[in-house]
Amino acid sequence: MTFINQPIPDGPVPGPFGDLRRRAGIGWLFAGVWLVFLSKPLGEILKHREMAERVLGIAALALFALGYLGFFGWARYQNRQGTQLPVVVRIGFLVALLAMTALMIPAAGESSLTTLVYVEALGMMLLPLRAGVFLGLTLLALVEISLRLVPGWHDDGTYGFSIVLGGLAVFGLRRAILRSVELAEARKDFAELAVQEERNRFARDLHDILGHSLTVITVKAELAGRLIPANPDRAAAEVADVEQLARAALADVRAAVAGYRELSLAGELVAARAALQAAEIRADLPTTVDEVPEKNRELFAWVVREGVTNVIRHSGAKRCRIELGKSSIEVIDDGKGPTPSGEMSGHGLIGLRERANQTGATVTVGTAPNGGFRLAVRVDP
């Protein structure tokens, strides 16, 4: 019954939280079923000879039952308001129930001890775990001592056993509901992590798509600007290529949004050759991808795209070579080489390493034999 101590959110609540709300909504009905065990002290009160004590006992028993049931409705109202019952109120409520039990004793005798089971059950719901256990042990000791010291009372073993059993039952229920709440919170955290991971994936794809396309568009636009005075026809062809690249980039973005975009290794090699030529960088690229297994082609396509983009943007190279094998690919240029630290930097290379990790591949960046930059990816067999 942790809904006593923790607010239940309003609105549609799926999963365990929804179960908690339903429990809070009909909890008083289940609580009312257990009031049937108060028939034993009621019977003893009705058989009592003294009218004043009989009336007092009936009134105390009625107030006890009404307070027990009313508590669940009150707790439900507090939870709907998003508040918690103050500790003082919880303790005061338990003390009031114990007072009602004491008023029943003159008429009900030892049968009034039946009500202590209800007090212990509510104590396990209302109080922190240690306090609830302490209350249960205190009530158990009170029962055992009273049955042995009060004249005419005898211990048949049922009262103490009922208190222990009731406390254990509510303790188990309390722990089960707590686990349900924790599980629901864990599922919520996992869902948020999945959303965040998907956002990161989409941002990485968008960076890789637009970074390459906009780099090539920029290079071709600069080339067209230089060619306009001397070779208008060639400049017009470059402008037409810019238009086609822009349309292709738009299509790639739409495909990425739709979630089904995949790269073609052969297509990336063709695009890389055109981009390098537009940047006036000599391209030494493979002419076939037949020896590359199908499972490696998409990753290698991303390597070609990221590697060639970096060559055009940062290397200052005059030549770029791509070496392609069954389980490896290298992009090598003769430019100014890697940064002095030699570490992988830039969003594109970081994204490439993430893709490689997902497929069990390794990414290596460093200095090429001719002093330029070398990007290598190898897929473990």
Side-chain angles (χ1 to χ4, degrees), residues 3-67:
F3 61 84
I4 302 300
N5 298 315
Q6 296 181 352
I8 302 173
D10 290 327
V13 184
F17 285 109
D19 293 339
L20 283 177
R21 168 158 288 180
R22 288 190 290 273
R23 288 189 186 117
I26 62 176
W28 63 273
L29 290 176
F30 288 104
V33 172
W34 299 105
L35 290 179
V36 66
F37 293 103
L38 292 180
S39 59
K40 183 176 181 179
L42 177 61
E44 294 295 328
I45 293 173
L46 294 176
K47 292 188 296 183
H48 194 68
R49 295 181 179 181
E50 295 293 334
M51 178 60 69
E53 294 178 353
R54 188 193 307 170
V55 172
L56 179 62
I58 292 175
L61 183 62
L63 288 175
F64 184 94
L66 289 175

Short mmCIF file of all heavy atoms in Angstrom, two decimals, residues 3-67:
data_model
loop_
_atom_site.label_atom_id
_atom_site.label_comp_id
_atom_site.label_asym_id
_atom_site.label_seq_id
_atom_site.Cartn_x
_atom_site.Cartn_y
_atom_site.Cartn_z
N PHE A 3 0.79 3.60 -1.84
CA PHE A 3 0.10 4.80 -2.27
C PHE A 3 -0.19 5.71 -1.09
O PHE A 3 -0.53 6.87 -1.25
CB PHE A 3 -1.20 4.46 -3.01
CG PHE A 3 -2.21 3.71 -2.17
CD1 PHE A 3 -3.05 4.38 -1.32
CD2 PHE A 3 -2.28 2.33 -2.24
CE1 PHE A 3 -3.97 3.68 -0.57
CE2 PHE A 3 -3.19 1.64 -1.48
CZ PHE A 3 -4.04 2.31 -0.64
N ILE A 4 -0.04 5.19 0.13
CA ILE A 4 -0.21 6.02 1.31
C ILE A 4 0.93 7.02 1.41
O ILE A 4 0.75 8.16 1.79
CB ILE A 4 -0.23 5.15 2.59
CG1 ILE A 4 -1.35 4.12 2.49
CG2 ILE A 4 -0.41 6.00 3.83
CD1 ILE A 4 -2.71 4.71 2.34
N ASN A 5 2.13 6.61 1.05
CA ASN A 5 3.31 7.43 1.25
C ASN A 5 3.80 8.10 -0.02
O ASN A 5 4.64 8.97 0.05
CB ASN A 5 4.46 6.56 1.82
CG ASN A 5 4.11 5.99 3.17
OD1 ASN A 5 3.60 6.70 4.02
ND2 ASN A 5 4.38 4.71 3.36
N GLN A 6 3.31 7.70 -1.20
CA GLN A 6 3.79 8.28 -2.44
C GLN A 6 2.60 8.71 -3.28
O GLN A 6 1.65 7.95 -3.46
CB GLN A 6 4.61 7.26 -3.24
CG GLN A 6 5.89 6.86 -2.53
CD GLN A 6 6.69 5.89 -3.36
OE1 GLN A 6 6.23 5.41 -4.38
NE2 GLN A 6 7.90 5.61 -2.91
N PRO A 7 2.65 9.95 -3.84
CA PRO A 7 1.56 10.40 -4.68
C PRO A 7 1.46 9.59 -5.96
O PRO A 7 2.46 9.15 -6.50
CB PRO A 7 1.95 11.86 -4.99
CG PRO A 7 2.98 12.23 -3.99
CD PRO A 7 3.68 10.96 -3.64
N ILE A 8 0.24 9.40 -6.43
CA ILE A 8 -0.01 8.71 -7.70
C ILE A 8 -0.34 9.77 -8.73
O ILE A 8 -1.19 10.62 -8.50
CB ILE A 8 -1.17 7.72 -7.57
CG1 ILE A 8 -0.86 6.71 -6.47
CG2 ILE A 8 -1.45 7.04 -8.88
CD1 ILE A 8 -2.02 5.82 -6.16
N PRO A 9 0.35 9.79 -9.88
CA PRO A 9 0.11 10.83 -10.87
C PRO A 9 -1.30 10.79 -11.41
O PRO A 9 -1.91 9.74 -11.53
CB PRO A 9 1.14 10.52 -11.97
CG PRO A 9 1.50 9.09 -11.76
CD PRO A 9 1.34 8.81 -10.31
N ASP A 10 -1.81 12.01 -11.74
CA ASP A 10 -3.13 12.10 -12.34
C ASP A 10 -3.05 11.79 -13.82
O ASP A 10 -1.99 11.73 -14.41
CB ASP A 10 -3.71 13.51 -12.14
CG ASP A 10 -4.08 13.75 -10.68
OD1 ASP A 10 -4.47 12.78 -10.01
OD2 ASP A 10 -3.94 14.91 -10.22
N GLY A 11 -4.22 11.65 -14.45
CA GLY A 11 -4.27 11.37 -15.88
C GLY A 11 -4.08 9.91 -16.16
O GLY A 11 -3.92 9.09 -15.27
N PRO A 12 -4.12 9.53 -17.47
CA PRO A 12 -3.93 8.13 -17.84
C PRO A 12 -2.55 7.65 -17.44
O PRO A 12 -1.55 8.23 -17.82
CB PRO A 12 -4.09 8.16 -19.39
CG PRO A 12 -4.78 9.44 -19.68
CD PRO A 12 -4.37 10.40 -18.61
N VAL A 13 -2.51 6.61 -16.66
CA VAL A 13 -1.24 6.07 -16.18
C VAL A 13 -1.17 4.60 -16.53
O VAL A 13 -1.92 3.80 -16.00
CB VAL A 13 -1.11 6.24 -14.65
CG1 VAL A 13 0.25 5.75 -14.20
CG2 VAL A 13 -1.31 7.69 -14.25
N PRO A 14 -0.29 4.18 -17.46
CA PRO A 14 -0.20 2.78 -17.84
C PRO A 14 0.65 2.00 -16.87
O PRO A 14 1.34 2.56 -16.02
CB PRO A 14 0.48 2.85 -19.22
CG PRO A 14 1.34 4.06 -19.13
CD PRO A 14 0.60 5.04 -18.24
N GLY A 15 0.65 0.68 -17.02
CA GLY A 15 1.55 -0.19 -16.29
C GLY A 15 1.28 -0.20 -14.81
O GLY A 15 0.17 0.01 -14.34
N PRO A 16 2.34 -0.43 -14.02
CA PRO A 16 2.19 -0.55 -12.58
C PRO A 16 1.59 0.68 -11.92
O PRO A 16 0.87 0.57 -10.95
CB PRO A 16 3.63 -0.78 -12.10
CG PRO A 16 4.32 -1.37 -13.29
CD PRO A 16 3.69 -0.72 -14.48
N PHE A 17 1.87 1.91 -12.47
CA PHE A 17 1.29 3.09 -11.87
C PHE A 17 -0.23 3.08 -12.03
O PHE A 17 -0.96 3.50 -11.15
CB PHE A 17 1.87 4.36 -12.50
CG PHE A 17 3.25 4.66 -12.04
CD1 PHE A 17 4.33 4.50 -12.89
CD2 PHE A 17 3.49 5.07 -10.74
CE1 PHE A 17 5.61 4.78 -12.46
CE2 PHE A 17 4.77 5.35 -10.31
CZ PHE A 17 5.83 5.20 -11.17
N GLY A 18 -0.70 2.58 -13.16
CA GLY A 18 -2.13 2.44 -13.34
C GLY A 18 -2.72 1.46 -12.35
O GLY A 18 -3.81 1.65 -11.81
N ASP A 19 -1.98 0.37 -12.09
CA ASP A 19 -2.44 -0.59 -11.10
C ASP A 19 -2.53 0.05 -9.72
O ASP A 19 -3.45 -0.22 -8.96
CB ASP A 19 -1.49 -1.78 -11.05
CG ASP A 19 -1.53 -2.60 -12.34
OD1 ASP A 19 -2.54 -2.47 -13.05
OD2 ASP A 19 -0.57 -3.32 -12.62
N LEU A 20 -1.55 0.90 -9.41
CA LEU A 20 -1.58 1.57 -8.11
C LEU A 20 -2.83 2.43 -7.99
O LEU A 20 -3.46 2.48 -6.94
CB LEU A 20 -0.33 2.42 -7.93
CG LEU A 20 0.95 1.68 -7.59
CD1 LEU A 20 2.10 2.67 -7.53
CD2 LEU A 20 0.81 0.96 -6.28
N ARG A 21 -3.15 3.15 -9.05
CA ARG A 21 -4.33 4.00 -8.98
C ARG A 21 -5.58 3.16 -8.78
O ARG A 21 -6.48 3.50 -8.02
CB ARG A 21 -4.45 4.83 -10.26
CG ARG A 21 -5.80 5.51 -10.39
CD ARG A 21 -5.74 6.68 -11.31
NE ARG A 21 -5.01 7.76 -10.68
CZ ARG A 21 -4.79 8.93 -11.26
NH1 ARG A 21 -5.25 9.15 -12.46
NH2 ARG A 21 -4.12 9.86 -10.65
N ARG A 22 -5.67 2.05 -9.49
CA ARG A 22 -6.86 1.21 -9.30
C ARG A 22 -6.90 0.65 -7.88
O ARG A 22 -7.97 0.55 -7.28
CB ARG A 22 -6.84 0.07 -10.33
CG ARG A 22 -7.13 0.55 -11.75
CD ARG A 22 -7.34 -0.64 -12.68
NE ARG A 22 -6.10 -1.35 -12.91
CZ ARG A 22 -5.23 -1.04 -13.85
NH1 ARG A 22 -5.45 -0.01 -14.64
NH2 ARG A 22 -4.13 -1.75 -14.02
N ARG A 23 -5.73 0.29 -7.35
CA ARG A 23 -5.70 -0.20 -5.97
C ARG A 23 -6.18 0.89 -5.01
O ARG A 23 -6.90 0.62 -4.05
CB ARG A 23 -4.27 -0.64 -5.60
CG ARG A 23 -3.85 -1.93 -6.28
CD ARG A 23 -2.53 -2.39 -5.69
NE ARG A 23 -2.03 -3.54 -6.42
CZ ARG A 23 -0.91 -3.56 -7.10
NH1 ARG A 23 -0.18 -2.49 -7.17
NH2 ARG A 23 -0.52 -4.65 -7.72
N ALA A 24 -5.69 2.13 -5.27
CA ALA A 24 -6.11 3.22 -4.38
C ALA A 24 -7.59 3.49 -4.50
O ALA A 24 -8.27 3.82 -3.53
CB ALA A 24 -5.31 4.49 -4.72
N GLY A 25 -8.14 3.32 -5.72
CA GLY A 25 -9.55 3.60 -5.95
C GLY A 25 -10.48 2.59 -5.30
O GLY A 25 -11.56 2.94 -4.81
N ILE A 26 -10.10 1.32 -5.29
CA ILE A 26 -11.00 0.30 -4.74
C ILE A 26 -10.40 -0.35 -3.50
O ILE A 26 -10.90 -1.36 -3.02
CB ILE A 26 -11.29 -0.77 -5.81
CG1 ILE A 26 -10.01 -1.49 -6.21
CG2 ILE A 26 -11.98 -0.18 -7.01
CD1 ILE A 26 -10.24 -2.63 -7.21
N GLY A 27 -9.31 0.28 -2.99
CA GLY A 27 -8.66 -0.30 -1.83
C GLY A 27 -9.57 -0.41 -0.62
O GLY A 27 -9.50 -1.35 0.16
N TRP A 28 -10.47 0.58 -0.47
CA TRP A 28 -11.36 0.54 0.70
C TRP A 28 -12.34 -0.61 0.62
O TRP A 28 -12.80 -1.12 1.65
CB TRP A 28 -12.10 1.87 0.83
CG TRP A 28 -13.01 2.17 -0.33
CD1 TRP A 28 -12.69 2.79 -1.49
CD2 TRP A 28 -14.40 1.86 -0.41
NE1 TRP A 28 -13.78 2.88 -2.31
CE2 TRP A 28 -14.86 2.33 -1.67
CE3 TRP A 28 -15.31 1.24 0.43
CZ2 TRP A 28 -16.17 2.18 -2.08
CZ3 TRP A 28 -16.62 1.11 0.03
CH2 TRP A 28 -17.04 1.58 -1.23
N LEU A 29 -12.65 -1.07 -0.60
CA LEU A 29 -13.54 -2.23 -0.73
C LEU A 29 -12.86 -3.49 -0.21
O LEU A 29 -13.45 -4.30 0.51
CB LEU A 29 -13.95 -2.41 -2.19
CG LEU A 29 -14.90 -1.35 -2.76
CD1 LEU A 29 -15.13 -1.62 -4.24
CD2 LEU A 29 -16.22 -1.36 -2.01
N PHE A 30 -11.59 -3.67 -0.60
CA PHE A 30 -10.85 -4.83 -0.11
C PHE A 30 -10.63 -4.74 1.40
O PHE A 30 -10.66 -5.74 2.11
CB PHE A 30 -9.50 -4.93 -0.82
CG PHE A 30 -9.61 -5.36 -2.25
CD1 PHE A 30 -9.46 -4.44 -3.28
CD2 PHE A 30 -9.87 -6.67 -2.59
CE1 PHE A 30 -9.57 -4.83 -4.60
CE2 PHE A 30 -9.97 -7.07 -3.90
CZ PHE A 30 -9.83 -6.15 -4.91
N ALA A 31 -10.40 -3.50 1.87
CA ALA A 31 -10.23 -3.33 3.31
C ALA A 31 -11.52 -3.68 4.05
O ALA A 31 -11.49 -4.28 5.13
CB ALA A 31 -9.82 -1.89 3.62
N GLY A 32 -12.66 -3.33 3.45
CA GLY A 32 -13.94 -3.62 4.11
C GLY A 32 -14.22 -5.09 4.26
O GLY A 32 -14.91 -5.51 5.21
N VAL A 33 -13.69 -5.91 3.34
CA VAL A 33 -13.93 -7.35 3.43
C VAL A 33 -13.37 -7.91 4.73
O VAL A 33 -13.99 -8.77 5.37
CB VAL A 33 -13.30 -8.06 2.22
CG1 VAL A 33 -13.35 -9.57 2.39
CG2 VAL A 33 -13.99 -7.64 0.94
N TRP A 34 -12.21 -7.39 5.15
CA TRP A 34 -11.55 -7.93 6.33
C TRP A 34 -12.24 -7.53 7.63
O TRP A 34 -11.94 -8.10 8.69
CB TRP A 34 -10.09 -7.49 6.36
CG TRP A 34 -9.33 -7.99 5.18
CD1 TRP A 34 -8.93 -7.28 4.11
CD2 TRP A 34 -8.92 -9.34 4.95
NE1 TRP A 34 -8.28 -8.08 3.20
CE2 TRP A 34 -8.26 -9.36 3.69
CE3 TRP A 34 -9.05 -10.54 5.65
CZ2 TRP A 34 -7.72 -10.52 3.16
CZ3 TRP A 34 -8.50 -11.69 5.12
CH2 TRP A 34 -7.86 -11.67 3.88
N LEU A 35 -13.17 -6.59 7.54
CA LEU A 35 -13.88 -6.20 8.76
C LEU A 35 -14.80 -7.30 9.28
O LEU A 35 -15.34 -7.19 10.39
CB LEU A 35 -14.71 -4.93 8.49
CG LEU A 35 -13.91 -3.64 8.28
CD1 LEU A 35 -14.84 -2.47 8.01
CD2 LEU A 35 -13.03 -3.34 9.49
N VAL A 36 -14.98 -8.35 8.49
CA VAL A 36 -15.82 -9.46 8.95
C VAL A 36 -15.26 -10.08 10.23
O VAL A 36 -16.01 -10.62 11.06
CB VAL A 36 -15.96 -10.53 7.84
CG1 VAL A 36 -14.62 -11.18 7.57
CG2 VAL A 36 -17.01 -11.57 8.20
N PHE A 37 -13.94 -9.97 10.42
CA PHE A 37 -13.35 -10.56 11.62
C PHE A 37 -13.66 -9.77 12.88
O PHE A 37 -13.39 -10.23 13.99
CB PHE A 37 -11.83 -10.69 11.44
CG PHE A 37 -11.43 -11.68 10.39
CD1 PHE A 37 -11.02 -11.27 9.13
CD2 PHE A 37 -11.52 -13.04 10.64
CE1 PHE A 37 -10.67 -12.18 8.16
CE2 PHE A 37 -11.16 -13.97 9.68
CZ PHE A 37 -10.75 -13.55 8.43
N LEU A 38 -14.24 -8.58 12.71
CA LEU A 38 -14.67 -7.83 13.89
C LEU A 38 -15.98 -8.38 14.46
O LEU A 38 -16.47 -7.90 15.47
CB LEU A 38 -14.86 -6.34 13.54
CG LEU A 38 -13.58 -5.57 13.20
CD1 LEU A 38 -13.91 -4.12 12.87
CD2 LEU A 38 -12.57 -5.63 14.34
N SER A 39 -16.54 -9.39 13.79
CA SER A 39 -17.77 -10.00 14.31
C SER A 39 -17.54 -10.68 15.66
O SER A 39 -18.46 -10.77 16.48
CB SER A 39 -18.31 -11.03 13.30
OG SER A 39 -17.34 -12.04 13.06
N LYS A 40 -16.31 -11.13 15.91
CA LYS A 40 -16.04 -11.79 17.19
C LYS A 40 -16.13 -10.82 18.36
O LYS A 40 -16.88 -11.07 19.33
CB LYS A 40 -14.65 -12.43 17.15
CG LYS A 40 -14.31 -13.21 18.42
CD LYS A 40 -12.97 -13.90 18.30
CE LYS A 40 -12.63 -14.69 19.57
NZ LYS A 40 -11.33 -15.40 19.47
N PRO A 41 -15.43 -9.66 18.35
CA PRO A 41 -15.64 -8.72 19.45
C PRO A 41 -17.06 -8.16 19.49
O PRO A 41 -17.59 -7.89 20.57
CB PRO A 41 -14.60 -7.62 19.18
CG PRO A 41 -14.20 -7.77 17.76
CD PRO A 41 -14.35 -9.22 17.45
N LEU A 42 -17.70 -8.02 18.34
CA LEU A 42 -19.08 -7.53 18.32
C LEU A 42 -20.00 -8.50 19.05
O LEU A 42 -20.88 -8.09 19.84
CB LEU A 42 -19.55 -7.33 16.88
CG LEU A 42 -21.01 -6.88 16.72
CD1 LEU A 42 -21.25 -5.53 17.39
CD2 LEU A 42 -21.38 -6.81 15.23
N GLY A 43 -19.80 -9.79 18.81
CA GLY A 43 -20.62 -10.78 19.50
C GLY A 43 -20.44 -10.73 21.00
O GLY A 43 -21.41 -10.85 21.78
N GLU A 44 -19.18 -10.56 21.44
CA GLU A 44 -18.91 -10.47 22.87
C GLU A 44 -19.54 -9.23 23.48
O GLU A 44 -20.06 -9.25 24.61
CB GLU A 44 -17.40 -10.48 23.12
CG GLU A 44 -16.71 -11.78 22.75
CD GLU A 44 -17.18 -12.93 23.61
OE1 GLU A 44 -17.51 -12.72 24.80
OE2 GLU A 44 -17.25 -14.05 23.08
N ILE A 45 -19.51 -8.13 22.74
CA ILE A 45 -20.11 -6.88 23.24
C ILE A 45 -21.61 -7.03 23.39
O ILE A 45 -22.21 -6.60 24.40
CB ILE A 45 -19.76 -5.71 22.30
CG1 ILE A 45 -18.26 -5.41 22.35
CG2 ILE A 45 -20.56 -4.46 22.66
CD1 ILE A 45 -17.79 -4.39 21.34
N LEU A 46 -22.24 -7.64 22.39
CA LEU A 46 -23.69 -7.79 22.44
C LEU A 46 -24.14 -8.70 23.59
O LEU A 46 -25.26 -8.58 24.10
CB LEU A 46 -24.20 -8.32 21.11
CG LEU A 46 -24.05 -7.38 19.90
CD1 LEU A 46 -24.52 -8.07 18.63
CD2 LEU A 46 -24.84 -6.09 20.14
N LYS A 47 -23.28 -9.61 24.03
CA LYS A 47 -23.63 -10.51 25.12
C LYS A 47 -23.32 -9.91 26.50
O LYS A 47 -23.69 -10.51 27.53
CB LYS A 47 -22.85 -11.83 24.96
CG LYS A 47 -23.30 -12.65 23.77
CD LYS A 47 -22.66 -14.02 23.76
CE LYS A 47 -21.17 -13.94 23.59
NZ LYS A 47 -20.53 -15.27 23.50
N HIS A 48 -22.66 -8.78 26.51
CA HIS A 48 -22.28 -8.16 27.78
C HIS A 48 -23.52 -7.67 28.53
O HIS A 48 -24.45 -7.12 27.94
CB HIS A 48 -21.31 -7.00 27.54
CG HIS A 48 -20.63 -6.53 28.77
ND1 HIS A 48 -19.69 -7.28 29.44
CD2 HIS A 48 -20.74 -5.36 29.47
CE1 HIS A 48 -19.25 -6.61 30.48
NE2 HIS A 48 -19.88 -5.43 30.52
N ARG A 49 -23.52 -7.81 29.84
CA ARG A 49 -24.71 -7.50 30.63
C ARG A 49 -24.85 -6.01 30.92
O ARG A 49 -25.98 -5.49 30.94
CB ARG A 49 -24.66 -8.28 31.95
CG ARG A 49 -24.74 -9.79 31.77
CD ARG A 49 -24.69 -10.48 33.10
NE ARG A 49 -24.79 -11.94 32.94
CZ ARG A 49 -24.78 -12.79 33.97
NH1 ARG A 49 -24.68 -12.34 35.21
NH2 ARG A 49 -24.85 -14.09 33.73
N GLU A 50 -23.77 -5.33 31.18
CA GLU A 50 -23.84 -3.92 31.54
C GLU A 50 -24.17 -3.07 30.30
O GLU A 50 -23.45 -3.07 29.32
CB GLU A 50 -22.51 -3.45 32.14
CG GLU A 50 -22.16 -4.12 33.46
CD GLU A 50 -23.11 -3.72 34.57
OE1 GLU A 50 -23.69 -2.61 34.47
OE2 GLU A 50 -23.28 -4.51 35.51
N MET A 51 -25.31 -2.35 30.38
CA MET A 51 -25.78 -1.59 29.23
C MET A 51 -24.81 -0.48 28.85
O MET A 51 -24.52 -0.27 27.67
CB MET A 51 -27.15 -0.99 29.53
CG MET A 51 -27.71 -0.13 28.40
SD MET A 51 -27.92 -1.05 26.85
CE MET A 51 -29.26 -2.14 27.32
N ALA A 52 -24.30 0.25 29.85
CA ALA A 52 -23.41 1.38 29.55
C ALA A 52 -22.13 0.90 28.85
O ALA A 52 -21.69 1.49 27.85
CB ALA A 52 -23.07 2.13 30.82
N GLU A 53 -21.57 -0.19 29.36
CA GLU A 53 -20.36 -0.72 28.75
C GLU A 53 -20.65 -1.30 27.38
O GLU A 53 -19.81 -1.23 26.46
CB GLU A 53 -19.74 -1.78 29.67
CG GLU A 53 -19.21 -1.21 30.98
CD GLU A 53 -18.65 -2.27 31.88
OE1 GLU A 53 -18.79 -3.48 31.54
OE2 GLU A 53 -18.06 -1.93 32.92
N ARG A 54 -21.87 -1.87 27.23
CA ARG A 54 -22.24 -2.42 25.92
C ARG A 54 -22.34 -1.30 24.88
O ARG A 54 -21.84 -1.42 23.76
CB ARG A 54 -23.56 -3.16 26.03
CG ARG A 54 -23.92 -3.92 24.74
CD ARG A 54 -25.38 -4.38 24.75
NE ARG A 54 -25.66 -5.12 25.98
CZ ARG A 54 -26.89 -5.47 26.35
NH1 ARG A 54 -27.93 -5.12 25.60
NH2 ARG A 54 -27.10 -6.14 27.47
N VAL A 55 -23.01 -0.19 25.26
CA VAL A 55 -23.15 0.94 24.33
C VAL A 55 -21.78 1.53 24.00
O VAL A 55 -21.49 1.85 22.84
CB VAL A 55 -24.07 2.01 24.94
CG1 VAL A 55 -24.06 3.28 24.06
CG2 VAL A 55 -25.49 1.49 25.08
N LEU A 56 -20.94 1.67 25.03
CA LEU A 56 -19.60 2.20 24.79
C LEU A 56 -18.80 1.29 23.85
O LEU A 56 -18.11 1.76 22.94
CB LEU A 56 -18.86 2.35 26.12
CG LEU A 56 -17.42 2.87 26.05
CD1 LEU A 56 -17.40 4.27 25.46
CD2 LEU A 56 -16.76 2.85 27.42
N GLY A 57 -18.93 -0.02 24.05
CA GLY A 57 -18.20 -0.96 23.20
C GLY A 57 -18.68 -0.91 21.76
O GLY A 57 -17.87 -0.94 20.81
N ILE A 58 -20.02 -0.85 21.57
CA ILE A 58 -20.56 -0.79 20.20
C ILE A 58 -20.12 0.50 19.52
O ILE A 58 -19.73 0.51 18.34
CB ILE A 58 -22.10 -0.90 20.22
CG1 ILE A 58 -22.52 -2.31 20.67
CG2 ILE A 58 -22.68 -0.58 18.85
CD1 ILE A 58 -24.01 -2.48 20.85
N ALA A 59 -20.18 1.63 20.26
CA ALA A 59 -19.77 2.90 19.67
C ALA A 59 -18.29 2.89 19.30
O ALA A 59 -17.89 3.35 18.22
CB ALA A 59 -20.07 4.04 20.66
N ALA A 60 -17.46 2.33 20.19
CA ALA A 60 -16.03 2.27 19.90
C ALA A 60 -15.74 1.37 18.71
O ALA A 60 -14.90 1.70 17.85
CB ALA A 60 -15.28 1.77 21.14
N LEU A 61 -16.44 0.23 18.64
CA LEU A 61 -16.24 -0.68 17.52
C LEU A 61 -16.69 -0.04 16.20
O LEU A 61 -16.02 -0.17 15.17
CB LEU A 61 -17.00 -1.98 17.76
CG LEU A 61 -16.83 -3.07 16.69
CD1 LEU A 61 -15.37 -3.50 16.60
CD2 LEU A 61 -17.72 -4.27 16.99
N ALA A 62 -17.81 0.68 16.24
CA ALA A 62 -18.30 1.34 15.03
C ALA A 62 -17.32 2.44 14.58
O ALA A 62 -17.03 2.57 13.38
CB ALA A 62 -19.69 1.94 15.28
N LEU A 63 -16.82 3.22 15.54
CA LEU A 63 -15.86 4.26 15.18
C LEU A 63 -14.58 3.66 14.64
O LEU A 63 -13.95 4.20 13.72
CB LEU A 63 -15.57 5.13 16.41
CG LEU A 63 -16.69 6.07 16.85
CD1 LEU A 63 -16.32 6.78 18.15
CD2 LEU A 63 -17.01 7.08 15.76
N PHE A 64 -14.16 2.53 15.22
CA PHE A 64 -12.96 1.84 14.74
C PHE A 64 -13.15 1.42 13.28
O PHE A 64 -12.28 1.67 12.44
CB PHE A 64 -12.67 0.63 15.61
CG PHE A 64 -11.40 -0.09 15.26
CD1 PHE A 64 -10.21 0.21 15.92
CD2 PHE A 64 -11.36 -1.06 14.26
CE1 PHE A 64 -9.03 -0.44 15.59
CE2 PHE A 64 -10.19 -1.70 13.92
CZ PHE A 64 -9.02 -1.40 14.58
N ALA A 65 -14.29 0.79 12.97
CA ALA A 65 -14.54 0.31 11.61
C ALA A 65 -14.66 1.48 10.63
O ALA A 65 -14.10 1.45 9.53
CB ALA A 65 -15.81 -0.54 11.58
N LEU A 66 -15.38 2.54 11.05
CA LEU A 66 -15.54 3.70 10.17
C LEU A 66 -14.19 4.41 9.94
O LEU A 66 -13.89 4.84 8.83
CB LEU A 66 -16.55 4.68 10.76
CG LEU A 66 -18.02 4.21 10.75
CD1 LEU A 66 -18.89 5.22 11.47
CD2 LEU A 66 -18.51 4.01 9.32
N GLY A 67 -13.40 4.52 11.01
CA GLY A 67 -12.09 5.15 10.86
C GLY A 67 -11.18 4.33 9.96
O GLY A 67 -10.44 4.88 9.14
#
